[in-house]
């Protein structure tokens, strides 16, 4: 399909970070262990953890009570009781004892640490508990897991990571084949002292570990399911983005948005490592990918309450970013006015900021007015902010700053949720978009694109269907929001592309996005893991992917599970008849499938329904070829291999371990006619005609008809699969069909005496393209809040 298409391997190193809210109870520790256990075992896993729940706050209280031994000891006793209950609830008694001994030892050292003012060693206890407890839970589940204290390898010099030394130290601690559970938030400085990494420090730890181990992806598991266009607790209509640009994520972080801190992003900048934010409470959701290769396209509003202004001369040597690093707080450089710089920062750290600037011999003026800030990050197609200005005008706007990327309003008091929702509505109007990339421009592909024009108009009120690419084996047209009516002209003017170019394009394309594969290419299907990793759902009419050797097939399935992407193959078997979906629903409802049989080829259905002996069978083949009902070489249909592949698709849908060669195949073609050219076949067609004429005579004598039937039988643990020409009784469901019909007969515990019959037209580009649009509708309905379509069985 693409030049130099080769099979690629899934990436192997992943970092997962879990925050305190994800580890707040024994049940949450178990849920986190479930998430880790569900990761692909082929991946090398690193896990970074925060302290459980509010443990760090409790430890800060204990530090504050350092000089009050009575209060300190009472707080220590309460903390030990709380953490001991957590350990006991999370582990069997024998495993809990080992963790409890370590906890007792760590807490016993607190008084001496406080006396010596080693406060960061005290704060480290929460992360040590999480790492030790989670690794024990994983080992109890028969997983190889080890806890690592990040202070044993993570080194920082003057707030900057020493990657060379840290990498060397980590290499001595790494155990092949183990899940490494690492303490977040803590490290050591160049003098070997324990340090903490400040707000969102565990996120920073995770991306530092990601850089050290050259991870392909870092996932920040938190209590929100995405990066939103606004605070979803205040703005009901806030949009959960599935993808944001690296640049805008950095801007959000600099503005103090709580999902990502600016330092979290820094270690991965310029690397190939992807970053994803997901909810540990809803792990089935895909979350939000932060993508480095694309420009800012999404729009956001975010708030900063209780902030103040510093004004300083424009020629100062210290940057806002450097001051933010010193303060471990956001410092926002506002658009310059005249010769002065204006920096916005939290009021609570204003005096510390003045002291840092004074140490650098920089004079700054502090505007002691306290403000509430509202910031709008503009998207790819920003609206004019005039309407938002009108909404905000009655709410005491004291200052307004604007540049090409953002607008910041400074107000005297916080805005209510109602006002924020009005501003959001004015600045971030939302109709979801679904980007569609189509591979394959033959008869079905052309029909699919023709029908996509109609779908675009029909669905325009609830979703924007955007054609973002069309490609075939010769050319590739890759550009966002193409004019569908011009795709043939534009494609003819395009060059070819290699798999790496296509994957890079798909990765940069904003989500949600879907690749529709209407090719017959096995090499293209082998690239599915890369396309899924790039953030694409896949709709496939290409049977090659589903019928690859089982190891490769499972690799695609695992990629979909890992990246929370769907691989819809409904059209692979039934040209739009939802046979796979019906099987899925029966199994999910608790039924047990015992047999699936039927006529899987609309082409062979047409031929055998039409063949009545009035003329040779090959004449009907020629009629079908001229009518466009067959492959360009009809022997591809007559070989039965397509039906064999379809039966394997259904076997794998049922979870049966089967390879293509395990399915017994009886072709319609006599032996030898599959060789040579079409002209060679035509010269020897009398062999086919004589054999089919004899079989038809036998069938008629017994009151039967000829049908090409596939059958998968699962009984008493034994599986039988075969594809053959059969004589079928006239009253059978497989006999009473119209030409071109596909028919599927499903027997199960529930549908045995009265089997479930799915029937519909099978041959024809319109039907197959319509089936692809049925799958596309599934994605659209999920995107717009409807989870699935009603099944249409006949």
């Amino acid at each position: 399909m693409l030049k130099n298409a080769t099979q690629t391997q899934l990436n192997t190193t992943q970092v997962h970070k879990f925050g305190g809210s994800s580890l707040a109870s024994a049940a949450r520790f178990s849920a986190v262990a479930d998430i880790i256990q569900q990761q692909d075992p082929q991946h090398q896993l690193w896990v970074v953890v925060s302290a459980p729940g509010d443990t760090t706050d409790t430890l800060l209280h204990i530090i504050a009570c350092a000089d009050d031994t009575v209060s300190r000891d009472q707080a220590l006793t309460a903390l030990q009781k709380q953490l001991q209950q957590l350990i006991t609830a999370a582990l069997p008694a024998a495993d809990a004892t080992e963790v409890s001994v370590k906890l007792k030892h760590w807490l016993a050292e607190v008084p001496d640490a406080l006396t010596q003012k080693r406060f960061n060693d005290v704060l480290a206890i929460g992360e040590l508990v999480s790492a030790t407890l989670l690794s024990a839970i994983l080992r109890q589940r028969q997983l190889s897991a080890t806890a690592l204290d990040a202070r044993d390898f993570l080194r920082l010099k003057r707030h900057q990571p020493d990657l060379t030394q840290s990498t060397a130290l980590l290499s001595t601690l790494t155990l092949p084949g183990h899940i490494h559970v690492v303490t977040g938030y803590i490290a050591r400085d160049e003098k070997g002292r324990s340090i903490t990494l400040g707000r969102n420090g565990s996120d920073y730890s995770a991306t530092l570990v990601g850089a050290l181990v050259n991870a392909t992806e870092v996932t920040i598991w938190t209590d929100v399911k995405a990066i939103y266009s606004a605070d979803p607790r205040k703005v009901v209509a806030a949009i959960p983005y599935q993808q944001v640009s690296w640049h805008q994520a950095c801007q959000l972080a600099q503005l103090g948005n709580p999902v990502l801190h600016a330092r979290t992003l820094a270690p991965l900048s310029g690397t190939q490592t992807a970053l994803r934010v997901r909810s540990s409470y809803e792990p089935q959701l895909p979350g939000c990918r932060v993508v480095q290769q694309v420009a800012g396209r999404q729009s956001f509003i975010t708030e900063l309450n209780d902030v103040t202004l510093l004004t300083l001369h424009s020629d100062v040597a210290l940057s806002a970013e450097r001051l933010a690093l010193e303060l471990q707080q956001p410092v926002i450089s506002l658009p310059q006015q005249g010769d002065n710089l204006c920096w916005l920062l939290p009021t609570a750290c204003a005096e510390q900021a003045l002291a840092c600037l004074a140490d650098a011999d920089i004079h700054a003026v502090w505007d002691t007015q306290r403000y509430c800030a509202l910031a709008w990050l503009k998207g790819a197609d920003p609206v004019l902010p005039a309407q938002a200005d009108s909404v905000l005008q009655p709410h005491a706007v004291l200052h307004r700053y604007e540049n090409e990327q953002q607008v910041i309003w400074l107000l005297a008091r916080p805005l209510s949720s109602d006002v924020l929702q009005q501003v959001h509505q004015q600045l971030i109007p939302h109709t979801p978009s679904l980007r569609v990339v189509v591979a394959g421009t033959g008869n079905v592909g052309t029909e699919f694109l023709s029908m996509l024009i109609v779908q675009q108009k029909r669905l325009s009120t609830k979703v924007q269907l955007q054609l973002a690419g069309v490609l075939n084996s010769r050319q590739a047209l890759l550009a966002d929001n193409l004019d569908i009516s011009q795709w043939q002209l534009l494609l003819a003017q395009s060059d070819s592309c290699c798999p790496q170019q296509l994957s890079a394009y798909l990765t940069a394309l904003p989500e949600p996005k879907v690749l529709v594969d209407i090719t017959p290419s096995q090499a293209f299907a082998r690239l599915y893991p890369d396309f899924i990793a790039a953030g694409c759902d896949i709709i496939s009419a290409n049977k090659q992917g589903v019928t690859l050797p089982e190891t490769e097939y499972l690799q695609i399935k695992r990629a979909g599970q890992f990246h929370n992407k769907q691989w819809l193959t409904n059209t692979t078997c039934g040209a739009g008849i939802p046979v796979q979906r019906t099987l899925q629903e029966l199994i999910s409802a608790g039924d047990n499938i015992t047999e699936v049989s039927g006529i899987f080829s609309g082409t062979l259905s047409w031929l055998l329904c039409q063949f009545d002996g009035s003329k040779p069978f090959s004449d009907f083949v020629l009629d079908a070829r001229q009518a466009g009902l067959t492959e360009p070489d009809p022997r591809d249909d007559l070989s039965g291999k397509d039906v064999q592949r379809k039966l394997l698709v259904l076997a794998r849908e049922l979870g049966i371990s089967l390879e293509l060669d395990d399915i017994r195949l009886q072709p319609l073609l006599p032996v030898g006619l599959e060789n040579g050219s079409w002209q060679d076949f035509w010269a020897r067609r009398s062999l086919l005609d004589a054999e089919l004429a004899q079989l038809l005579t036998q069938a008629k004598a017994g009151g039967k008809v000829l049908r090409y039937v596939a059958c998968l039988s699962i009984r008493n643990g034994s599986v039988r699969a075969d594809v053959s020409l059969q004589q079928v009784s006239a009253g059978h469901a497989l006999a009473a069909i119209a030409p071109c019909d596909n028919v599927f007969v499903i027997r199960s515990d529930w549908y045995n005496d009265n089997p479930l019959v799915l029937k519909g037209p099978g041959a024809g580009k319109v039907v197959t393209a319509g089936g692809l649009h049925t799958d596309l509708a599934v994605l659209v309905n999920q995107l717009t809040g409807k989870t699935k379509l009603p099944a249409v069985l006949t």
Side-chain angles (χ1 to χ4, degrees):
M1 176 64 203
L2 295 177
K3 289 188 174 181
N4 302 319
T6 57
Q7 186 175 357
T8 57
Q9 299 296 319
L10 285 178
N11 297 322
T12 58
T13 307
Q14 308 285 337
V15 176
H16 298 266
K17 179 265 173 179
F18 295 93
S21 61
S22 298
L23 299 166
S25 66
R28 293 307 311 155
F29 267 87
S30 179
V32 166
D34 289 341
I35 291 172
I36 296 170
Q37 195 167 13
Q38 289 163 8
Q39 303 307 309
D40 192 325
Q42 294 183 3
H43 294 163
Q44 184 177 353
L45 297 182
W46 293 77
V47 180
V48 177
V49 291
S50 299
D54 58 0
T55 302
T56 299
D57 290 339
T58 304
L59 290 168
L60 286 167
H61 171 68
I62 291 170
I63 292 170
C65 296
D67 297 329
D68 183 350
T69 56
V70 174
S71 297
R72 179 201 70 193
D73 290 344
Q74 287 177 345
L76 272 172
T77 300
L79 178 60
Q80 181 166 358
K81 181 179 179 181
Q82 175 186 334
L83 292 177
Q84 183 59 55
Q85 289 174 342
L86 172 64
I87 294 166
T88 303
L91 286 171
D95 298 305
T97 300
E98 180 181 351
V99 181
S100 299
V101 169
K102 291 182 178 180
L103 171 65
K104 186 175 180 180
H105 171 72
W106 292 325
L107 293 179
E109 292 185 327
V110 168
D112 285 344
L114 294 176
T115 300
Q116 299 166 23
K117 299 189 182 302
R118 292 186 288 110
F119 300 140
N120 291 331
D121 287 326
V122 176
L123 289 173
I125 291 172
E127 277 67 26
L128 288 171
V129 170
S130 286
T132 305
L133 179 54
L134 182 58
S135 62
I137 293 171
L138 294 174
R139 288 193 299 273
Q140 202 266 332
R141 297 183 179 205
Q142 308 304 313
L143 297 172
S144 297
T146 186
L148 284 182
D149 186 338
R151 293 174 296 179
D152 291 341
F153 66 88
L154 193 54
R155 297 290 182 268
L156 273 74
K157 291 182 179 179
R158 300 183 66 180
H159 304 297
Q160 296 297 329
D162 185 338
L163 296 180
T164 301
Q165 185 181 10
S166 298
T167 301
L169 290 170
L170 183 58
S171 66
T172 66
L173 301 172
T174 303
L175 299 174
H178 277 236
I179 299 171
H180 297 84
V181 185
V182 182
T183 56
Y185 181 59
I186 55 177
R188 291 196 188 279
D189 63 14
E190 62 270 30
K191 296 181 179 180
R193 298 172 299 194
S194 293
I195 57 174
T196 60
L197 302 181
R199 188 172 70 90
N200 290 80
S202 292
D203 290 357
Y204 187 32
S205 298
T207 53
L208 284 171
V209 170
L212 293 176
V213 301
N214 194 27
T216 51
E217 185 166 82
V218 175
T219 301
I220 305 295
W221 294 89
T222 180
D223 54 0
V224 296
K225 63 183 181 181
I227 299 176
Y228 283 82
S229 59
D231 187 340
R233 296 168 298 183
K234 298 180 180 180
V235 180
V236 176
I239 304 162
Y241 292 130
Q242 291 190 13
Q243 179 172 294
V244 301
S245 76
W246 193 266
H247 176 66
Q248 286 200 308
C250 289
Q251 287 183 299
L252 279 175
Q254 290 163 0
L255 289 169
N257 187 284
V259 177
L260 291 174
H261 191 279
R263 290 175 313 143
T264 300
L265 297 160
L268 304 183
S269 183
T271 71
Q272 296 299 311
T273 303
L275 181 66
R276 188 183 294 269
V277 176
R278 293 177 66 180
S279 170
S280 62
Y281 291 81
E282 299 178 275
Q284 74 281 5
L285 299 177
C288 179
R289 298 173 73 241
V290 182
V291 182
Q292 301 198 41
Q293 296 91 338
V294 297
R297 305 185 65 92
Q298 313 291 16
S299 186
F300 304 84
I301 61 172
T302 188
E303 294 178 283
L304 296 89
N305 291 324
D306 197 8
V307 290
T308 192
L309 291 171
L310 294 183
T311 304
L312 55 165
H313 201 268
S314 60
D315 61 358
V316 297
L318 188 69
S319 67
E321 291 79 7
R322 179 64 189 177
L323 182 59
L325 189 62
E326 293 286 341
L327 299 176
Q328 300 295 301
Q329 294 288 342
V331 178
I332 302 152
S333 181
L334 297 172
Q336 187 169 338
Q337 297 180 342
D339 293 332
N340 293 324
L341 298 176
C342 200
W343 292 351
L344 188 69
L345 70 164
T347 303
C349 65
E351 292 185 356
Q352 184 185 356
L354 289 172
C356 288
L357 292 170
D359 289 343
D361 198 25
I362 297 172
H363 175 70
V365 177
W366 178 15
D367 176 355
T368 55
Q369 168 77 44
R370 292 187 168 191
Y371 299 101
C372 295
L374 177 68
W376 171 43
L377 292 187
K378 302 175 182 179
D381 301 304
V383 299
L384 294 175
Q387 293 292 335
D389 286 331
S390 298
V391 172
L392 292 172
Q393 196 57 47
H395 300 281
V397 177
L398 303 177
H399 299 284
R400 182 184 185 279
Y401 300 87
E402 181 174 6
N403 59 23
E404 292 182 355
Q405 297 180 336
Q406 63 188 30
V407 179
I408 295 178
W409 294 270
L410 299 186
L411 304 105
R413 52 187 174 272
L415 296 171
S416 68
S417 293
D418 288 343
V419 175
L420 282 172
Q421 291 194 66
Q422 291 178 52
V423 172
H424 186 275
Q425 183 177 356
Q426 295 300 329
L427 296 178
I428 313 177
H430 179 57
T431 301
S433 297
L434 177 61
R435 289 167 173 83
V436 183
V437 177
V438 179
T441 57
N443 286 338
V444 176
T446 300
E447 190 65 36
F448 175 84
L449 288 162
S450 174
M451 295 167 71
L452 190 61
I453 297 175
V454 178
Q455 291 283 64
Q456 247 185 353
K457 296 176 181 178
R458 186 176 69 83
L459 298 172
S460 61
T461 58
K462 64 176 183 176
V463 67
Q464 296 178 22
L465 282 180
Q466 297 182 9
L467 182 63
V470 181
L471 60 148
N472 55 34
S473 59
R474 302 169 301 282
Q475 291 147 314
L477 171 62
L478 303 176
D480 202 357
N481 208 10
L482 294 165
D483 183 349
I484 301 178
S485 65
Q486 298 294 314
W487 73 264
Q488 289 169 306
L489 175 63
L490 296 171
L491 181 63
Q493 300 169 354
S494 302
D495 297 325
S496 62
C497 78
C498 67
Q500 292 76 17
Q501 290 171 315
L502 178 59
S503 291
Y505 174 75
L506 293 175
T507 298
L509 196 64
E511 294 188 20
K513 51 198 170 188
V514 57
L515 176 71
V516 185
D517 180 9
I518 320 177
T519 77
S521 170
Q522 187 178 86
F524 193 74
R526 283 189 159 125
L527 295 169
Y528 284 1
D530 280 351
F531 301 151
I532 291 170
C536 288
D537 292 297
I538 293 179
I539 293 174
S540 174
N542 180 0
K543 289 176 281 295
Q544 297 288 350
V546 197
T547 56
L548 285 169
E550 189 171 29
T551 53
E552 296 179 56
Y553 166 76
L554 292 176
Q555 186 186 47
I556 300 172
K557 299 288 281 187
R558 284 195 300 266
Q561 291 166 0
F562 178 77
H563 293 283
N564 285 90
K565 295 301 174 186
Q566 296 180 86
W567 178 20
L568 302 179
T569 60
N570 187 59
T571 57
T572 298
C573 281
I577 302 173
V579 58
Q580 287 104 309
R581 202 163 299 131
T582 302
L583 292 174
Q584 292 166 1
E585 291 175 355
L586 289 174
I587 293 169
S588 65
D591 201 359
N592 180 46
I593 307 299
T594 57
E595 183 179 288
V596 181
S597 62
I599 297 169
F600 289 24
S601 168
T603 300
L604 298 183
S605 170
W606 187 92
L607 286 170
L608 293 171
C609 283
Q610 295 291 340
F611 180 46
D612 57 3
S614 61
K615 59 183 180 180
F617 184 76
S618 59
D619 285 359
F620 289 100
V621 173
L622 188 60
D623 292 343
R625 185 177 188 235
Q626 292 172 344
L629 299 179
T630 72
E631 295 296 329
D633 187 336
R635 289 177 297 173
D636 292 338
D637 298 293
L638 299 176
S639 71
K641 290 181 180 178
D642 186 59
V643 177
Q644 186 186 32
R645 283 192 291 265
K646 290 180 178 179
L647 192 61
L648 179 59
V649 170
L650 294 190
R652 288 183 170 171
E653 193 67 58
L654 295 172
I656 297 170
S657 180
L658 207 65
E659 298 289 2
L660 195 63
D661 290 341
D662 295 329
I663 300 174
R664 287 171 288 277
L665 173 65
Q666 177 198 356
L668 266 180
L669 281 174
V671 176
L673 289 189
E674 73 277 9
N675 300 322
S677 66
W678 169 252
Q679 289 74 21
D680 294 333
F681 161 76
W682 195 248
R684 304 174 61 201
R685 66 187 183 279
S686 59
L687 295 174
L688 173 65
D689 292 336
E691 186 171 309
L692 266 294
Q694 182 181 358
L695 291 171
L696 179 62
T697 300
Q698 293 173 357
K700 286 183 174 181
K704 298 180 179 182
V705 295
L706 294 177
R707 296 290 183 263
Y708 198 68
V709 179
C711 183
L712 176 70
S713 177
I714 316 107
R715 299 182 190 277
N716 301 321
S718 177
V719 177
R720 179 180 174 84
D722 55 63
V723 175
S724 62
L725 183 64
Q726 296 183 16
Q727 298 180 17
V728 177
S729 299
H732 195 281
L734 300 183
I737 61 171
C740 290
D741 269 3
N742 278 146
V743 182
F744 300 90
V745 179
I746 301 172
R747 295 184 185 273
S748 67
D749 290 348
W750 298 350
Y751 297 94
N752 189 23
D753 295 333
N754 295 296
L756 187 63
V757 178
L758 281 68
K759 184 184 301 185
K765 58 185 180 180
V766 175
V767 174
T768 304
L772 291 166
H773 276 281
T774 298
D775 285 345
L776 185 63
V778 172
L779 295 180
V780 169
N781 283 347
Q782 291 171 344
L783 184 63
T784 55
K786 298 178 181 178
T787 56
K788 68 176 184 178
L789 291 174
V792 179
L793 301 185
T794 59

